[in-house]
């Protein structure tokens, strides 16, 4: 049986980096404060493979893309997700497109790491859940794990993948501990996880709000409502089969994320369900998301920005009650 | 500016340089002719900048790598790319170097070391340090050459690129073709000073400005610059002072160009200058020159025929190859 050890999300990512750098000499890491903050990696792999960079996201991401196209497998730390705005050309136009545009002559095996989400009162220029932007960009893959074990396993998968991966870490989870397998376990990209099985309603989420959904599911269970919780883990490629199977089973879907609603991941998942599992739906699809507003710094406001467990439970309750008492609206 | 005193090269080399420039000119003129004949994909020609391309690329070695930009035909042809496969790419055919997915703007040819082409102005500057980092970490003697223009030098990424290449000691030869034009705007309106080369010094990078319309001078400067990069494994910036003889893109429009400036630069046409030099030195006769022109045109006619006869990609493959 795999030995499990307690580890924070942050340390789980570091453990994955350590293992992958030991496994493959082409893997290197650079970014803002990388060598300063990741002393263990620096000690183990030296200053050639663990580097500090200028605070210049464009050239960090561009250098990663250039290196990835010509034989290295870089991981870059861009710190906070809004800083990715400075690296959009390099990530979207170069890393995402140049494989296709070159007729497959080049691949871009690279990982861009960034933190986002409420929890540190850092305000909207450090906290902006913009993961859906990258889902929309061809050639890029996007992961956003909810547990330290997934953080480790998905980072390992991302580093081994031949395509560029955006790896978002939820700030609110960064120092939350969890069980992590000590062994070399890869969590494949594109596979969702059923965090809790249920039969009445499916709560679909990713990152921090998976835990909010689990809390809501617990409250619902006390009332006799059985909620299934799906953790997407990878936002692109999306595990459509797991989403559809769950919704076909429960007939109801609540989509939950901290990112704002318009054109968010929830919109895509809702469209998928409507297109492919419409006949299974017993009630309309519901989305609970952050508002169309910059994330505030004030702690209570920042916490209120993300969907809350009682609101999720209320939404699920309403869906279940509605279909018990009335015929579907369509 | 470095005096453009020509360094005599062995005669075959001077003729080779001329032949290479004529090939590029014939290629670009064929594209202009295609445009005159009817709808054709937009192309940014490099007419007038042939000496910068041929002079620099002729100074490189097989193991060196090139990153280029939207005005790339000269760099590709000078490196030995087949004009037929380039034209096929421009025309969206499956025999193109990038299977018709690049078009004229993003042609890269891995086997020739033309590794990445970004047409986002400055994109090539963002990618070059990473390519050089691979060279530095994976071994190999080659250097990385990054072609860009005065327009790209005004992008923030130029400064980020030079700074990082300098602090990380990366073997990048930055080649700025200062062609005086930033798309539809003269650089005098939008850039401080006339030259880009002085911008290298604050980053601890040596530089040289050369008459970019004198292919022999460019070649000499590029040999020097490349030798510096090879020896020091550090960046160097070479500025080729040249001129874009046509509009930003085809179909061509120069209504915004000062005719006097254009005339002055046309008198410094890089091909005419080398031809005059070769004729004067007796290395070429007018008949020989005509034969070289005909040869270049013939090669491009054959290339165009190949491209035009090539199939379009299968629409069924539209979304394949996005992911590895």
């Amino acid at each position: 049986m795999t030995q499990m050890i307690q580890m924070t999300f942050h340390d789980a990512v570091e453990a994955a980096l350590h293992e992958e750098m030991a496994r493959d000499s082409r893997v290197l890491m650079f970014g803002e404060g990388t060598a300063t903050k990741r002393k263990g990696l620096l000690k183990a792999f030296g200053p050639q493979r663990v580097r500090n960079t200028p605070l210049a996201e464009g050239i960090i991401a561009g250098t990663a893309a250039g290196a990835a196209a010509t034989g290295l497998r870089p991981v870059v730390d861009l710190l906070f997700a809004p800083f990715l705005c400075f690296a959009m050309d390099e990530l979207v136009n170069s890393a995402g497109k140049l494989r296709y545009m070159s007729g497959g002559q080049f691949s871009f095996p690279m990982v861009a790491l960034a933190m986002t989400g409420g929890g540190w009162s850092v305000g909207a220029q450090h906290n902006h859940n913009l993961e859906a932007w990258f889902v929309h960009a061809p050639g890029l893959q996007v992961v956003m794990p909810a547990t330290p074990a997934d953080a480790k396993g998905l980072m390992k998968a991302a580093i081994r993948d031949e395509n560029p991966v955006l790896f978002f870490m939820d700030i609110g989870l960064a120092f939350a501990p969890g069980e992590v397998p000590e062994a070399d376990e890869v969590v494949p990209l594109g596979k969702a996880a059923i965090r809790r099985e249920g039969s009445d309603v499916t709560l679909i989420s990713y990152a921090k709000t998976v835990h909010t959904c689990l809390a809501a599911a617990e409250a619902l269970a006390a009332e006799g409502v059985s909620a299934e919780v799906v953790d997407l883990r990878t936002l692109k490629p999306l595990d459509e089969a797991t989403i559809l199977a769950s919704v076909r089973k429960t007939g109801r879907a609540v989509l939950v994320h901290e990112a704002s609603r318009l054109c968010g991941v929830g919109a895509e998942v809702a469209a998928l369900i409507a297109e492919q599992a419409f006949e299974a739906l017993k009630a309309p699809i519901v989305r609970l998301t952050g508002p169309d507003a910059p994330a505030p710094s004030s702690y209570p406001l920042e916490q209120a920005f993300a969907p809350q467990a009682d609101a999720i439970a209320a939404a699920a309750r309403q869906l279940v009650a509605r279909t018990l008492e009335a015929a579907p609206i369509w | 500016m470095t005096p453009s005193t020509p360094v005599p090269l062995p005669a075959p080399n001077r003729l080779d340089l001329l032949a290479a420039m004529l090939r590029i000119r014939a290629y670009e003129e064929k594209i202009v002719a295609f445009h005159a004949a009817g709808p054709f994909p937009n192309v940014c020609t490099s007419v007038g900048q042939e000496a910068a391309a041929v002079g620099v690329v002729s100074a490189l070695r097989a193991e060196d790598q090139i990153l280029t930009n939207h005005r790339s035909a000269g760099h590709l042809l000078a490196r030995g790319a087949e004009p037929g496969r380039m034209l096929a790419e421009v025309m969206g055919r499956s025999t193109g170097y990038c299977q018709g997915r690049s078009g004229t703007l993003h042609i890269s040819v891995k086997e020739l070391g033309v590794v990445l082409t970004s047409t986002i102005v400055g994109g090539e500057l963002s990618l070059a340090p990473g390519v050089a980092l691979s060279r530095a970490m994976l071994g190999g003697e080659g250097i990385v050459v990054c072609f860009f223009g005065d327009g790209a030098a005004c992008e923030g990424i130029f400064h980020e690129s030079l700074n990082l290449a300098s602090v990380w000691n990366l073997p990048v030869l930055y080649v700025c073709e200062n062609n005086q034009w930033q798309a539809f705007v003269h650089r005098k309106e939008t850039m401080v000073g006339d030259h880009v080369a002085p911008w290298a010094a604050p980053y601890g990078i040596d530089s040289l400005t050369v008459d970019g319309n004198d292919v022999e001078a460019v070649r000499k400067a590029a040999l020097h610059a490349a030798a510096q990069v090879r020896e020091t494994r550090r960046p160097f910036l070479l500025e080729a002072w040249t001129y874009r003889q046509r509009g930003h893109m085809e179909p061509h429009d120069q209504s915004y160009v000062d005719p006097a400036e254009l005339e002055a630069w046309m008198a410094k046409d890089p091909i005419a200058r080398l031809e005059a030099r070769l004729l004067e030195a007796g290395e070429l006769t007018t008949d020989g020159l005509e034969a070289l022109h005909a040869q270049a045109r013939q090669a491009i006619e054959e290339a165009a025929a190949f491209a035009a006869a090539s199939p379009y990609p299968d629409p069924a493959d539209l979304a394949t190859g996005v992911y590895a």
Side-chain angles (χ1 to χ4, degrees), chain B residues 185-215:
Chain B
V185 179
H186 198 284
R187 55 140 189 90
K188 278 182 182 164
E189 262 189 69
T190 49
M191 183 174 129
V192 172
D194 293 328
H195 287 284
V196 171
W199 296 358
Y203 298 106
I205 296 175
D206 291 336
S207 70
L208 194 61
T209 299
V210 65
D211 177 348
N213 280 21
D214 179 343
V215 70

mmCIF file of all heavy atoms in Angstrom, chain B residues 185-215:
data_model
loop_
_atom_site.group_PDB
_atom_site.id
_atom_site.type_symbol
_atom_site.label_atom_id
_atom_site.label_comp_id
_atom_site.label_asym_id
_atom_site.label_seq_id
_atom_site.Cartn_x
_atom_site.Cartn_y
_atom_site.Cartn_z
ATOM 1 N N VAL B 185 4.388 53.791 -40.174
ATOM 2 C CA VAL B 185 4.896 55.007 -39.541
ATOM 3 C C VAL B 185 6.422 55.045 -39.649
ATOM 4 O O VAL B 185 7.095 54.039 -39.396
ATOM 5 C CB VAL B 185 4.471 55.052 -38.049
ATOM 6 C CG1 VAL B 185 5.024 56.291 -37.377
ATOM 7 C CG2 VAL B 185 2.952 55.001 -37.925
ATOM 8 N N HIS B 186 6.944 56.217 -40.009
ATOM 9 C CA HIS B 186 8.395 56.359 -40.045
ATOM 10 C C HIS B 186 8.925 56.373 -38.621
ATOM 11 O O HIS B 186 8.332 56.999 -37.729
ATOM 12 C CB HIS B 186 8.785 57.654 -40.769
ATOM 13 C CG HIS B 186 10.212 57.663 -41.217
ATOM 14 N ND1 HIS B 186 11.262 57.865 -40.347
ATOM 15 C CD2 HIS B 186 10.774 57.433 -42.429
ATOM 16 C CE1 HIS B 186 12.413 57.792 -41.017
ATOM 17 N NE2 HIS B 186 12.147 57.525 -42.291
ATOM 18 N N ARG B 187 10.029 55.693 -38.406
ATOM 19 C CA ARG B 187 10.555 55.585 -37.035
ATOM 20 C C ARG B 187 10.897 56.946 -36.439
ATOM 21 O O ARG B 187 10.941 57.099 -35.211
ATOM 22 C CB ARG B 187 11.777 54.675 -36.975
ATOM 23 C CG ARG B 187 12.882 55.059 -37.916
ATOM 24 C CD ARG B 187 14.273 54.936 -37.347
ATOM 25 N NE ARG B 187 15.207 55.535 -38.288
ATOM 26 C CZ ARG B 187 15.557 56.819 -38.258
ATOM 27 N NH1 ARG B 187 15.099 57.630 -37.323
ATOM 28 N NH2 ARG B 187 16.370 57.303 -39.174
ATOM 29 N N LYS B 188 11.118 57.963 -37.285
ATOM 30 C CA LYS B 188 11.440 59.300 -36.757
ATOM 31 C C LYS B 188 10.307 59.822 -35.876
ATOM 32 O O LYS B 188 10.529 60.605 -34.968
ATOM 33 C CB LYS B 188 11.651 60.274 -37.910
ATOM 34 C CG LYS B 188 13.044 60.205 -38.503
ATOM 35 C CD LYS B 188 13.198 61.239 -39.614
ATOM 36 C CE LYS B 188 14.591 61.136 -40.237
ATOM 37 N NZ LYS B 188 14.636 61.842 -41.526
ATOM 38 N N GLU B 189 9.091 59.385 -36.175
ATOM 39 C CA GLU B 189 7.928 59.845 -35.408
ATOM 40 C C GLU B 189 7.800 59.142 -34.066
ATOM 41 O O GLU B 189 7.150 59.644 -33.157
ATOM 42 C CB GLU B 189 6.641 59.519 -36.193
ATOM 43 C CG GLU B 189 6.063 60.635 -36.992
ATOM 44 C CD GLU B 189 4.696 60.239 -37.534
ATOM 45 O OE1 GLU B 189 3.754 60.105 -36.744
ATOM 46 O OE2 GLU B 189 4.603 60.036 -38.767
ATOM 47 N N THR B 190 8.368 57.941 -33.984
ATOM 48 C CA THR B 190 8.006 57.088 -32.849
ATOM 49 C C THR B 190 9.190 56.561 -32.049
ATOM 50 O O THR B 190 8.997 55.850 -31.084
ATOM 51 C CB THR B 190 7.206 55.867 -33.363
ATOM 52 O OG1 THR B 190 7.916 55.310 -34.462
ATOM 53 C CG2 THR B 190 5.818 56.273 -33.803
ATOM 54 N N MET B 191 10.403 56.898 -32.475
ATOM 55 C CA MET B 191 11.577 56.324 -31.810
ATOM 56 C C MET B 191 12.569 57.445 -31.478
ATOM 57 O O MET B 191 12.812 58.326 -32.297
ATOM 58 C CB MET B 191 12.214 55.306 -32.769
ATOM 59 C CG MET B 191 13.400 54.567 -32.225
ATOM 60 S SD MET B 191 13.919 53.294 -33.427
ATOM 61 C CE MET B 191 15.652 53.689 -33.546
ATOM 62 N N VAL B 192 13.130 57.367 -30.295
ATOM 63 C CA VAL B 192 14.132 58.355 -29.885
ATOM 64 C C VAL B 192 15.449 58.030 -30.587
ATOM 65 O O VAL B 192 15.929 56.904 -30.511
ATOM 66 C CB VAL B 192 14.337 58.321 -28.361
ATOM 67 C CG1 VAL B 192 15.508 59.208 -27.958
ATOM 68 C CG2 VAL B 192 13.070 58.751 -27.638
ATOM 69 N N GLY B 193 16.027 58.985 -31.256
ATOM 70 C CA GLY B 193 17.301 58.750 -31.940
ATOM 71 C C GLY B 193 17.096 57.965 -33.227
ATOM 72 O O GLY B 193 15.995 57.523 -33.540
ATOM 73 N N ASP B 194 18.182 57.834 -33.960
ATOM 74 C CA ASP B 194 18.087 57.141 -35.248
ATOM 75 C C ASP B 194 18.408 55.660 -35.136
ATOM 76 O O ASP B 194 17.958 54.865 -35.945
ATOM 77 C CB ASP B 194 19.075 57.769 -36.240
ATOM 78 C CG ASP B 194 18.680 59.203 -36.592
ATOM 79 O OD1 ASP B 194 17.460 59.483 -36.608
ATOM 80 O OD2 ASP B 194 19.580 60.028 -36.816
ATOM 81 N N HIS B 195 19.222 55.320 -34.153
ATOM 82 C CA HIS B 195 19.787 53.971 -34.123
ATOM 83 C C HIS B 195 19.356 53.154 -32.911
ATOM 84 O O HIS B 195 19.102 53.702 -31.840
ATOM 85 C CB HIS B 195 21.314 54.056 -34.166
ATOM 86 C CG HIS B 195 21.823 54.439 -35.518
ATOM 87 N ND1 HIS B 195 21.858 53.568 -36.563
ATOM 88 C CD2 HIS B 195 22.294 55.619 -35.990
ATOM 89 C CE1 HIS B 195 22.331 54.187 -37.636
ATOM 90 N NE2 HIS B 195 22.593 55.434 -37.319
ATOM 91 N N VAL B 196 19.339 51.850 -33.101
ATOM 92 C CA VAL B 196 19.001 50.907 -32.038
ATOM 93 C C VAL B 196 20.268 50.407 -31.336
ATOM 94 O O VAL B 196 20.250 50.111 -30.140
ATOM 95 C CB VAL B 196 18.186 49.729 -32.623
ATOM 96 C CG1 VAL B 196 18.002 48.621 -31.603
ATOM 97 C CG2 VAL B 196 16.832 50.224 -33.131
ATOM 98 N N ALA B 197 21.361 50.350 -32.070
ATOM 99 C CA ALA B 197 22.595 49.789 -31.494
ATOM 100 C C ALA B 197 22.997 50.424 -30.157
ATOM 101 O O ALA B 197 23.406 49.697 -29.243
ATOM 102 C CB ALA B 197 23.734 49.887 -32.512
ATOM 103 N N PRO B 198 22.864 51.749 -30.001
ATOM 104 C CA PRO B 198 23.274 52.327 -28.711
ATOM 105 C C PRO B 198 22.455 51.814 -27.526
ATOM 106 O O PRO B 198 22.876 51.974 -26.379
ATOM 107 C CB PRO B 198 23.040 53.834 -28.909
ATOM 108 C CG PRO B 198 23.000 54.042 -30.382
ATOM 109 C CD PRO B 198 22.463 52.775 -30.959
ATOM 110 N N TRP B 199 21.319 51.219 -27.797
ATOM 111 C CA TRP B 199 20.492 50.706 -26.706
ATOM 112 C C TRP B 199 21.070 49.420 -26.107
ATOM 113 O O TRP B 199 20.573 48.935 -25.095
ATOM 114 C CB TRP B 199 19.049 50.453 -27.191
ATOM 115 C CG TRP B 199 18.334 51.701 -27.611
ATOM 116 C CD1 TRP B 199 18.820 52.991 -27.555
ATOM 117 C CD2 TRP B 199 17.017 51.804 -28.162
ATOM 118 N NE1 TRP B 199 17.883 53.876 -28.038
ATOM 119 C CE2 TRP B 199 16.769 53.188 -28.419
ATOM 120 C CE3 TRP B 199 16.027 50.891 -28.467
ATOM 121 C CZ2 TRP B 199 15.570 53.646 -28.960
ATOM 122 C CZ3 TRP B 199 14.832 51.349 -29.000
ATOM 123 C CH2 TRP B 199 14.604 52.708 -29.246
ATOM 124 N N ALA B 200 22.089 48.863 -26.742
ATOM 125 C CA ALA B 200 22.679 47.622 -26.222
ATOM 126 C C ALA B 200 23.613 47.893 -25.046
ATOM 127 O O ALA B 200 23.683 47.118 -24.093
ATOM 128 C CB ALA B 200 23.427 46.895 -27.340
ATOM 129 N N ALA B 201 24.329 49.003 -25.123
ATOM 130 C CA ALA B 201 25.383 49.281 -24.129
ATOM 131 C C ALA B 201 24.874 49.270 -22.688
ATOM 132 O O ALA B 201 25.535 48.696 -21.810
ATOM 133 C CB ALA B 201 26.073 50.601 -24.463
ATOM 134 N N PRO B 202 23.737 49.906 -22.394
ATOM 135 C CA PRO B 202 23.272 49.875 -20.994
ATOM 136 C C PRO B 202 23.043 48.455 -20.474
ATOM 137 O O PRO B 202 23.026 48.250 -19.267
ATOM 138 C CB PRO B 202 21.952 50.648 -21.037
ATOM 139 C CG PRO B 202 22.041 51.484 -22.262
ATOM 140 C CD PRO B 202 22.869 50.724 -23.232
ATOM 141 N N TYR B 203 22.872 47.510 -21.378
ATOM 142 C CA TYR B 203 22.684 46.118 -20.949
ATOM 143 C C TYR B 203 24.003 45.349 -20.966
ATOM 144 O O TYR B 203 24.013 44.123 -20.871
ATOM 145 C CB TYR B 203 21.632 45.438 -21.840
ATOM 146 C CG TYR B 203 20.277 46.109 -21.720
ATOM 147 C CD1 TYR B 203 19.787 46.915 -22.728
ATOM 148 C CD2 TYR B 203 19.542 45.985 -20.542
ATOM 149 C CE1 TYR B 203 18.573 47.575 -22.581
ATOM 150 C CE2 TYR B 203 18.334 46.641 -20.394
ATOM 151 C CZ TYR B 203 17.849 47.431 -21.418
ATOM 152 O OH TYR B 203 16.658 48.093 -21.259
ATOM 153 N N GLY B 204 25.098 46.066 -21.128
ATOM 154 C CA GLY B 204 26.403 45.408 -21.123
ATOM 155 C C GLY B 204 26.650 44.596 -22.376
ATOM 156 O O GLY B 204 27.416 43.627 -22.372
ATOM 157 N N ILE B 205 25.989 44.977 -23.455
ATOM 158 C CA ILE B 205 26.098 44.216 -24.705
ATOM 159 C C ILE B 205 26.814 45.065 -25.753
ATOM 160 O O ILE B 205 26.470 46.227 -25.967
ATOM 161 C CB ILE B 205 24.684 43.803 -25.200
ATOM 162 C CG1 ILE B 205 24.037 42.849 -24.182
ATOM 163 C CG2 ILE B 205 24.753 43.167 -26.585
ATOM 164 C CD1 ILE B 205 22.593 42.470 -24.510
ATOM 165 N N ASP B 206 27.814 44.463 -26.383
ATOM 166 C CA ASP B 206 28.531 45.162 -27.452
ATOM 167 C C ASP B 206 27.679 45.211 -28.706
ATOM 168 O O ASP B 206 26.837 44.335 -28.935
ATOM 169 C CB ASP B 206 29.852 44.439 -27.764
ATOM 170 C CG ASP B 206 30.848 44.581 -26.623
ATOM 171 O OD1 ASP B 206 30.729 45.558 -25.855
ATOM 172 O OD2 ASP B 206 31.722 43.707 -26.504
ATOM 173 N N SER B 207 27.924 46.238 -29.507
ATOM 174 C CA SER B 207 27.109 46.384 -30.708
ATOM 175 C C SER B 207 27.913 46.998 -31.838
ATOM 176 O O SER B 207 29.034 47.499 -31.635
ATOM 177 C CB SER B 207 25.893 47.269 -30.411
ATOM 178 O OG SER B 207 26.317 48.599 -30.202
ATOM 179 N N LEU B 208 27.316 46.948 -32.993
ATOM 180 C CA LEU B 208 27.942 47.478 -34.201
ATOM 181 C C LEU B 208 26.815 47.887 -35.132
ATOM 182 O O LEU B 208 25.814 47.175 -35.243
ATOM 183 C CB LEU B 208 28.746 46.340 -34.840
ATOM 184 C CG LEU B 208 29.760 46.612 -35.925
ATOM 185 C CD1 LEU B 208 30.870 47.530 -35.402
ATOM 186 C CD2 LEU B 208 30.372 45.281 -36.376
ATOM 187 N N THR B 209 26.980 49.026 -35.793
ATOM 188 C CA THR B 209 26.022 49.401 -36.834
ATOM 189 C C THR B 209 26.735 49.309 -38.171
ATOM 190 O O THR B 209 27.882 49.735 -38.301
ATOM 191 C CB THR B 209 25.501 50.831 -36.617
ATOM 192 O OG1 THR B 209 24.843 50.884 -35.365
ATOM 193 C CG2 THR B 209 24.506 51.215 -37.706
ATOM 194 N N VAL B 210 26.045 48.734 -39.128
ATOM 195 C CA VAL B 210 26.673 48.523 -40.424
ATOM 196 C C VAL B 210 25.736 49.013 -41.520
ATOM 197 O O VAL B 210 24.521 49.039 -41.350
ATOM 198 C CB VAL B 210 27.010 47.019 -40.611
ATOM 199 C CG1 VAL B 210 25.750 46.173 -40.677
ATOM 200 C CG2 VAL B 210 27.871 46.789 -41.841
ATOM 201 N N ASP B 211 26.336 49.414 -42.625
ATOM 202 C CA ASP B 211 25.558 49.783 -43.808
ATOM 203 C C ASP B 211 24.833 48.520 -44.292
ATOM 204 O O ASP B 211 25.432 47.631 -44.888
ATOM 205 C CB ASP B 211 26.502 50.314 -44.883
ATOM 206 C CG ASP B 211 25.778 50.653 -46.176
ATOM 207 O OD1 ASP B 211 24.592 50.272 -46.329
ATOM 208 O OD2 ASP B 211 26.402 51.301 -47.039
ATOM 209 N N GLY B 212 23.561 48.465 -44.017
ATOM 210 C CA GLY B 212 22.800 47.247 -44.300
ATOM 211 C C GLY B 212 22.488 47.048 -45.768
ATOM 212 O O GLY B 212 21.901 46.039 -46.138
ATOM 213 N N ASN B 213 22.865 47.988 -46.601
ATOM 214 C CA ASN B 213 22.638 47.813 -48.035
ATOM 215 C C ASN B 213 23.928 47.450 -48.774
ATOM 216 O O ASN B 213 23.959 47.462 -49.998
ATOM 217 C CB ASN B 213 22.035 49.091 -48.639
ATOM 218 C CG ASN B 213 20.544 49.178 -48.368
ATOM 219 O OD1 ASN B 213 20.044 48.537 -47.451
ATOM 220 N ND2 ASN B 213 19.841 49.958 -49.163
ATOM 221 N N ASP B 214 24.952 47.140 -47.999
ATOM 222 C CA ASP B 214 26.220 46.686 -48.583
ATOM 223 C C ASP B 214 26.451 45.266 -48.074
ATOM 224 O O ASP B 214 26.867 45.055 -46.939
ATOM 225 C CB ASP B 214 27.347 47.621 -48.145
ATOM 226 C CG ASP B 214 28.701 47.187 -48.700
ATOM 227 O OD1 ASP B 214 28.838 46.012 -49.135
ATOM 228 O OD2 ASP B 214 29.628 48.012 -48.683
ATOM 229 N N VAL B 215 26.175 44.306 -48.923
ATOM 230 C CA VAL B 215 26.176 42.917 -48.461
ATOM 231 C C VAL B 215 27.544 42.481 -47.960
ATOM 232 O O VAL B 215 27.650 41.708 -47.001
ATOM 233 C CB VAL B 215 25.631 41.974 -49.562
ATOM 234 C CG1 VAL B 215 26.595 41.861 -50.736
ATOM 235 C CG2 VAL B 215 25.328 40.586 -48.990
#
